[in-house]
Amino acid sequence: MSGSDASATTLGEASERETLKRIFPRLPESRSTIVGPGDDAAVLAAPDGRYVVTTDMMVHGPDFRWAWSAPYDLGWKAAATNLSDVAAMGAVPTALVVAIAAPASTPVSDLEELADGLRDGCAALAPGCGVVGGDLSVSDTFTIAVTAFGDLEGRAPVLRSGARVGDVVAVSGMLGAAATGLRLLFSEAVDAAGEPDRARFERVLAAHPETVTAQLRPRPPIADGPLAAQAGATAMLDLSDGLALDARRVAEASGVGIDLDPGLLGDDVEIALTGGEDHGLFAAFPAGAGLPGGFRAIGVVVPGAGVLVGGRPFDERGGWDPYIGWDGHGG
């Protein structure tokens, strides 16, 4: 079979074994692997007897659109969104398990590109983290599910429930860039019927590369998660659904209020508060503690409940919910 013929082969034409033979060499290796892909299950080292585990799905439609995302982008983002959840516990990401359900008409080359995105995302964001297994299946709707594992390296996990009155609230990573990119896509990269359009997408990407790329290929500050744990962070989570929504989760879990300083949230306070999918880190630190890595102060933990902005209650839900989209207006 020629190279061009191989590139055109679909999942419906290739066996699972043939597909995996093309994908496995492209996937990143994990430093924690004892037994990798090829057996019924992988075997990983758990150096301190514990491991962090999380899982996340991306489904065509609510989570991504092929007119806007290349397979490489999807692989990168699938890695990034899971790596950031591990980092938010204060752990170092070590391994991913990836399951994919795709239409039979999907070219095998698309899965190769997706594997390249997984590989490069892990290499850039969490060197030493690799893919140790997974599954392939057929579905009318393209779906990727990733399970990620992490090493606490002897530290206690950083939970959402430990914030204390007087703590400094800080973030690492961007606020609102990914949401800005998504708003541009929904407003300018669609046809007259409101459907995603590839040609218009290319023009939007060329005009707004930073914000569109922040949405399609986020770069969360993974290394800052373990640094925060080492610096004594009392609470932490991944900013996946929006600052106000995620800060409220910490406030509720900790039984405190969180007062955000609007002067520290950037030029567009509204999108910083209600945008999502930047996958930065939100953490609380004891007053007077040095902020590690790229963390910067944006507020303080106060008595009471919920989220305040400049001392005033912020009751808007804000952020992303997969069942109702952005801020209740549909996804």
Side-chain angles (χ1 to χ4, degrees):
M1 180 178 287
S2 69
S4 59
D5 289 338
S7 298
T9 302
T10 67
L11 293 180
E13 296 166 338
S15 68
E16 182 182 28
R17 181 173 176 272
E18 292 170 342
T19 300
L20 292 175
K21 282 178 64 177
R22 288 173 56 174
I23 295 173
F24 278 161
R26 312 176 88 97
L27 295 173
E29 295 183 359
S30 166
R31 61 175 176 271
S32 297
T33 301
I34 296 173
V35 177
D39 279 86
D40 287 335
V43 179
L44 304 176
D48 76 353
R50 304 169 299 169
Y51 58 85
V52 169
V53 60
T54 184
T55 191
D56 191 41
M57 296 176 65
M58 295 179 65
V59 181
H60 183 256
D63 297 312
F64 71 94
R65 312 291 174 93
W66 281 130
W68 299 337
S69 293
Y72 182 93
D73 297 327
L74 183 61
W76 180 294
K77 189 169 184 177
T81 57
N82 283 274
L83 296 173
S84 61
D85 281 331
V86 171
M89 300 298 290
V92 175
T94 56
L96 306 178
V97 175
V98 181
I100 296 172
S105 59
T106 303
V108 176
S109 58
D110 280 3
L111 298 193
E112 291 180 301
E113 292 178 32
L114 190 151
D116 290 344
L118 285 166
R119 180 197 64 222
D120 292 350
C122 286
L125 303 172
C129 179
V131 176
V132 299
D135 191 28
L136 289 177
S137 189
V138 178
S139 170
D140 291 338
T141 302
F142 194 105
T143 302
I144 177 169
V146 177
T147 299
F149 300 86
D151 179 7
L152 288 164
E153 299 182 324
R155 296 181 296 272
V158 184
L159 309 180
R160 300 180 181 185
S161 55
R164 301 168 300 193
V165 172
D167 284 352
V168 172
V169 171
V171 295
S172 178
M174 296 185 289
L175 289 176
T180 298
L182 190 65
R183 291 183 183 186
L184 285 167
L185 292 176
F186 273 112
S187 63
E188 299 181 22
V190 293
D191 60 21
E195 293 298 317
D197 182 90
R198 187 68 189 182
R200 289 180 171 87
F201 163 76
E202 295 291 352
R203 292 196 290 271
V204 173
L205 177 62
H208 307 278
E210 183 175 353
T211 53
V212 173
T213 301
Q215 165 59 219
L216 302 179
R217 205 182 298 175
R219 299 185 67 93
I222 304 302
D224 280 356
L227 289 179
Q230 294 166 16
T234 57
M236 186 159 53
L237 89 172
D238 158 51
L239 281 172
S240 57
D241 296 330
L243 175 60
L245 187 59
D246 287 328
R248 189 172 295 117
R249 289 169 173 155
V250 172
E252 291 175 353
S254 300
V256 296
I258 292 178
D259 191 0
L260 303 173
D261 184 340
L264 300 176
L265 298 182
D267 295 333
D268 191 332
V269 174
E270 185 272 336
I271 202 163
L273 287 167
T274 62
E277 294 205 298
D278 286 312
H279 296 285
L281 297 172
F282 175 95
F285 295 90
L291 299 182
F295 277 98
R296 60 193 185 277
I298 60 166
V300 65
V301 179
V302 297
V307 172
L308 303 91
V309 177
R312 297 176 177 271
F314 187 84
D315 296 325
E316 295 179 36
R317 185 188 66 84
W320 163 257
D321 185 308
Y323 293 98
I324 56 179
W326 287 102
D327 201 23
H329 300 303

